[in-house]
Amino acid sequence: GSAKLILFGEHAVVYGTPAIVAGLDKGAHATLTPSDHDSLAVFGARGASEPLFRIDAEHPPRDDRLVTAWRLVRETFGLSDERFEARIDVEVPLGAGLGSSAALSVALARALASHLDQAPIPKDDPRVTAAVAASEGAFHGKASGIDQAAAQFGGLFQFRRTDHGPE
């Protein structure tokens, strides 16, 4: 999924004013391997050998939001009981206002959809949209959708809070 940058209207978008948003070329990419246990490893770059952090039976999360988001993504796809080793490569700083949680969520949802379909996943796949909306709720409560739109569709677009995606 793509990270995001709000070029204009960052605070005004809360009041229904349009914002101009860019879905960046950098973001997050996930790969999944079926496993008998769950494991999430987040790396700072593709090909990095050491993770920024790992969540598994031996490494409990410091923050449950990523674990909850991953559970919600699997539930959206009807795979609550499936277990995976997930590797997430993140190309932007986490928690810096660039939409990293949405980028992570899109990456996990696309990887899961690709695992199921054994095919490339279109940007507007409704399963990905539903999974990311659920997982963004775990990170932010009621999310505006601006991060999800940038992460899922990329590109440059106008976003209005009442929208369900880019205009």
Side-chain angles (χ1 to χ4, degrees):
S2 298
K4 71 99 172 48
L5 183 62
I6 300 175
L7 302 174
F8 179 78
E10 181 170 4
H11 298 290
V13 75
V14 172
Y15 301 103
T17 301
I20 305 300
V21 183
L24 305 176
D25 289 340
K26 296 191 179 296
H29 176 76
T31 53
L32 303 176
T33 305
S35 179
D36 58 353
H37 64 280
D38 265 339
S39 170
L40 284 168
V42 178
F43 293 81
R46 287 191 190 190
S49 58
E50 290 297 317
L52 298 172
F53 62 90
R54 179 181 305 278
I55 301 171
D56 57 24
E58 296 176 14
H59 302 90
R62 291 185 213 134
D63 181 337
D64 287 333
R65 293 180 299 173
L66 180 56
V67 174
T68 301
W70 180 218
R71 178 182 52 78
L72 291 169
V73 168
R74 287 195 318 253
E75 285 177 5
T76 302
F77 282 89
L79 297 173
S80 297
D81 296 329
E82 299 292 321
R83 300 292 173 251
F84 296 92
E85 289 183 18
R87 177 188 171 114
I88 308 168
D89 296 298
V90 182
E91 302 169 312
V92 295
L94 301 174
L98 295 173
S100 59
S101 66
L104 288 167
S105 298
V106 168
L108 285 169
R110 284 187 181 150
L112 192 53
S114 182
H115 167 75
L116 286 172
D117 295 359
Q118 295 296 301
I121 303 303
K123 287 184 177 185
D124 63 348
D125 186 304
R127 300 169 301 173
V128 172
T129 301
V132 175
S135 65
E136 275 291 272
F139 284 110
H140 304 292
K142 185 171 172 45
S144 70
I146 197 167
D147 289 4
Q148 177 172 350
Q152 191 170 350
F153 298 103
L156 185 65
F157 59 93
Q158 177 178 307
F159 182 91
R160 188 180 304 266
R161 186 174 182 159
T162 58
D163 291 347
H164 297 291
E167 289 184 345

